[in-house]
């Protein structure tokens, strides 16, 4: 049974009382960025709620964490603060609580129609790391580029493989993606140069780091969840021709760093709790620092749609699920710090492309078209890779009993290279 | 002939009037960080100089760029501001200028003995990229790990290979480096785990980015120098056993991210100008976006010394030179942005290990000991890789006619892993 709010919330909404995801927004072009929470078709302005003195729990009562232009200060405060904020906001929005419900002027200031506000990046991202934690994705990439003998490299089953990504080019959903230029893999002797001919999306999610760790200290895998605030949808746009030519031996660089899109709303681990499920059994058994008492994934349905250039309709190109991940986000975080690397509040840990076992669940065009050997159909149109004008839309949603806990969308449209 | 200051400056000093490198320091433990310039054995406090109204040129006269806790705002202002600041400071410190020379109380506040101040990171580093631009280093690594047939991968001669590094763990010279733990390359079937057994330094320098570029726009290679403020020494500490096991296919990650040390003083390109020299001829000819009208390196002598654990004397283990780089820093920056990736003021672009052609000029122990097949001798002691207690000290210096333009030192001592 769904929790009841004084706000009318459609049963299809991604943002009922059970969710309460955090973001950062501007009420209009000229106002300053501030934190907010999505509720139905509204955004609750946490700056206004703070100024009205309604965060009155022991931790938040005198805090300015929601008077900041991003969530980093709140992220740093950790789970006790997060739980208190969630309880306060859930109570404030409930159908039986008069404080906001019966205060018309406050309600008008604090609850803004979501369609009218401008969403921004929810946090300042110090470092962004991208993992490679779907076995199906790793296998498919290996089959295409190295053949069946050693499709998955032996290290893959022992550690969550990852690389450092580019933080500066992370953008919020809705930002256009400019097609990157660069060198492509040569067919003959010389590389070609120009706008990428193999532009792709990668269906990912990402963990947002809460409290960090000191340089030189490692986070215990069984305490790693205390360092994770929540999850977002993430599109790790990839130029396959640039990537293929540049990546040996130091990994992906310009094939990825032209843009990465995240959804504006961070869904907290607290909201995802009811959708926890067992992670896959790991064989070989991981080393002790990666062996968790409880190895947990989340049942989050993921879907990718494309609106082809010049059309209005969207077409589903893949359906996957977060629960396909072999390495959990807590294992990723513990591994990231085992060498003493310091994480900071707001850091972003991408899961890697989330492909399922069936061809209809592959998480990128590289896999769906098997590197351009076939096409995906979008109504009348077909694609091997993305064309200028194509818009890619991710959605993610957990189905509860009579309600959803959803992520909204993560979208971006491809625009031509700058000459 | 050296420029004359009213401060006595030893002819051996790295920091004469011709240099004037920028850093950030605290006069004492309790005071706030502020920008400074090294002059002989002193640090000039730019906050004090600003407050005294002595930055009186058209750009800086009302600027608060030196009232900041880091150099980012000054970096963003670009070369006109940098040239004006340099001219103002050079005049202020000259033997013929009374403003500071004859003001005893101002002089006492503004000129602090370098040994008494605490140096900090000079800038907030949004993103850190590490290149791989020494051909000798690339060849040696390839010979060790892939054999003579394809020692240098074909892409290497077409583009400056690079990977994204970890920004959070960059520390200033003098910070202890905690030996990382992690998984090492297996001899049998299973990886081993523990403190790294192959801890190494990498002799590098790094460019500090000034004005950035917009996402989607590329910097012309012939204008790239306008986006570079100056250079620092950099030690890209590397755990070779962790790196070897993890790096296929996405590149170095935990083998590097436990710590990177930079020197506290940024030597400006303006100060390095007299030491410019031709970069190596490039064959094959680079693509037009990498073809520079003037392809310039700098003649910077580099030296690595180690003080072995428990000893006081230091021993030189290698001598190299910045001019061994095949890809110039301007080519690196142009390449970095060709896909539209946005650089921001304060970003750090490492050159990669700077190895020369002769074995005595190799830039890391991996090459010097050929992956532990031989040893380097440090007086009585020998090393294959670094031991706990070893201190590694880099120096870099340009020799002018009667003066140096030097970088000071970039040092760090290895301390044991945290259990
Ligand atoms: Ca990815
Ligand atoms: Ca390096
Ligand atoms: Mg990306
Ligand atoms: Mg490093
Ligand atoms: Ni590789």
């Amino acid at each position: 049974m769904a929790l009841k709010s004084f706000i009318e919330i459609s049963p299809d909404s991604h943002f009922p009382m059970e969710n309460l995801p955090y973001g950062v927004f501007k009420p209009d072009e000229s106002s300053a960025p501030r934190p907010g929470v999505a509720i139905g078709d509204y955004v609750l302005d946490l700056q206004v709620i703070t100024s009205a003195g309604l965060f009155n729990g022991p931790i938040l009562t005198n805090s300015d964490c929601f008077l900041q232009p991003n969530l980093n200060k709140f992220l740093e405060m950790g789970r006790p603060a997060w739980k208190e904020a969630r309880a306060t906001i859930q109570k404030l929005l409930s159908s039986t609580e008069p404080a906001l419900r019966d205060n018309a002027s406050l309600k008008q200031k604090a609850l803004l129609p979501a369609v009218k506000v401008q969403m921004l990046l929810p946090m300042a991202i110090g470092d962004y790391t991208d993992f490679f934690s779907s076995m199906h994705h790793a296998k498919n990439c290996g089959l295409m580029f190295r053949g069946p003998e050693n499709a998955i490299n032996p290290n893959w089953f022992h550690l969550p493989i990852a690389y450092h990504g580019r933080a500066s080019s992370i953008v919020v959903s809705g930002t256009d993606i400019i097609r990157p230029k660069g060198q492509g893999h040569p067919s003959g002797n010389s590389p070609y140069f120009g706008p990428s001919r193999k532009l792709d999306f990668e269906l990912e999610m990402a963990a947002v780091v809460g409290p960090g760790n000191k340089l030189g200290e490692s986070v215990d895998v069984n305490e790693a969840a205390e360092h994770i605030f929540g999850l977002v949808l993430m599109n790790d746009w990839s130029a396959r021709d640039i990537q293929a030519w540049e990546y040996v031996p130091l990994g992906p660089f310009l094939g990825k760093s032209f843009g990465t899109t995240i959804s504006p709303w961070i869904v907290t681990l607290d909201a995802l709790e009811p959708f926890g499920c067992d992670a896959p059994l790991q064989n070989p058994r991981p080393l002790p620092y990666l062996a968790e008492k409880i190895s947990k994934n989340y049942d989050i349905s993921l879907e990718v749609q494309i609106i082809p250039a010049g059309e209005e309709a969207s077409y589903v190109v893949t359906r996957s699920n977060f629960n396909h991940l072999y390495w959990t986000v807590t294992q990723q975080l513990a591994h990231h710090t085992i060498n003493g690397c310091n994480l900071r509040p707001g850091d972003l840990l991408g899961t890697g492309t989330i492909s399922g076992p069936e061809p209809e669940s592959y998480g990128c065009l590289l896999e769906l078209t098997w590197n351009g050997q076939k096409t995906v159909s979008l109504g009348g149109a077909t694609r091997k890779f993305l064309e200028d004008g194509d818009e890619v839309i991710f959605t993610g949603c957990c189905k509860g009993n009579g309600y959803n806990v959803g992520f909204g969308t993560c979208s971006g449209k491809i625009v031509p290279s700058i000459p």
Side-chain angles (χ1 to χ4, degrees), chain A residues 87-130:
Chain A
T88 299
I89 295 167
Q90 221 161 39
K91 179 163 177 243
L92 204 58
L93 293 172
S94 83
S95 56
T96 56
E97 171 70 25
L100 185 57
R101 184 192 66 194
D102 299 346
N103 186 333
S105 82
L106 183 63
K107 214 161 61 175
Q108 197 182 359
K109 271 171 64 187
L111 281 168
L112 307 167
V115 293
K116 296 224 171 160
V117 309
Q118 184 191 353
M119 298 306 300
L120 305 169
L121 278 184
M123 66 283 186
I125 300 167
D127 278 288
Y128 152 49
T129 301
D130 198 18

Side-chain angles (χ1 to χ4, degrees), chain A residues 153-161 284-287 289-290 326-327 335:
Chain A
N153 204 56
N155 59 8
W156 195 91
F157 289 99
H158 292 278
L159 52 87
I161 295 285
R285 275 177 62 82
L287 281 163
Y289 82 92
L290 290 172
Y326 182 89
W327 294 103
H335 181 65

Side-chain angles (χ1 to χ4, degrees), chain A residues 217-227 288-293 330-331 333-335 337-338:
Chain A
E217 295 181 358
S218 306
V219 174
D220 185 296
V221 70
N222 294 305
E223 287 159 21
E226 296 306 302
H227 294 263
Y289 82 92
L290 290 172
E292 318 184 82
K293 285 182 193 138
T330 39
Q331 289 178 316
L333 190 141
H335 181 65
T337 64
I338 189 60

Side-chain angles (χ1 to χ4, degrees), chain A residues 118-337:
Chain A
Q118 184 191 353
M119 298 306 300
L120 305 169
L121 278 184
M123 66 283 186
I125 300 167
D127 278 288
Y128 152 49
T129 301
D130 198 18
F131 284 84
F132 188 51
S133 290
S134 149
M135 188 176 65
H136 310 292
H137 176 63
K139 191 182 70 190
N140 289 332
C141 294
L143 282 172
M144 270 181 266
F145 295 117
R146 286 181 296 276
E149 304 77 34
N150 42 10
I152 303 186
N153 204 56
N155 59 8
W156 195 91
F157 289 99
H158 292 278
L159 52 87
I161 295 285
Y163 66 99
H164 304 295
R166 179 81 194 175
S168 69
S169 54
I170 298 173
V171 297
V172 74
S173 177
T175 308
D176 286 344
I177 296 294
I178 301 170
R179 182 180 295 271
K181 292 178 290 190
Q183 299 189 27
H185 207 289
S187 28
N189 274 325
S190 290
Y192 62 81
F193 175 81
S196 170
R197 302 174 190 179
K198 291 189 171 181
L199 189 52
D200 200 355
F201 62 81
E202 287 196 324
L203 172 60
E204 304 199 22
M205 297 193 73
V208 176
V209 173
N213 61 299
K214 277 197 202 143
L215 189 57
E217 295 181 358
S218 306
V219 174
D220 185 296
V221 70
N222 294 305
E223 287 159 21
E226 296 306 302
H227 294 263
I228 299 175
F229 177 64
L231 301 180
V232 291
L233 300 170
M234 184 175 103
N235 185 341
D236 178 24
W237 306 95
S238 298
R240 300 305 184 184
D241 46 353
I242 297 173
Q243 184 184 350
W245 173 228
E246 75 179 355
Y247 89 105
V248 175
L250 299 185
F253 181 50
L254 300 187
K256 304 277 193 178
S257 63
F258 57 93
T260 305
T261 305
I262 62 172
S263 59
W265 296 111
I266 310 173
V267 176
T268 64
L269 289 199
D270 290 324
L272 292 170
E273 191 56 41
F275 307 97
C277 57
D278 288 343
L281 264 183
Q282 297 179 325
N283 182 13
R285 275 177 62 82
L287 281 163
Y289 82 92
L290 290 172
E292 318 184 82
K293 285 182 193 138
I294 299 166
S295 201
K296 192 159 75 172
N297 266 343
Y298 297 96
D299 179 12
I300 307 170
S301 300
L302 301 169
E303 192 175 88
V304 179
Q305 300 178 42
I306 296 179
I307 304 176
E311 295 195 35
E312 291 189 0
S314 65
Y315 302 91
V316 174
V317 294
T318 193
R319 287 193 177 91
S320 186
N321 194 300
F322 185 84
N323 67 18
H324 290 310
L325 291 178
Y326 182 89
W327 294 103
T328 66
V329 289
T330 39
Q331 289 178 316
Q332 291 170 10
L333 190 141
H335 181 65
H336 205 317
T337 64

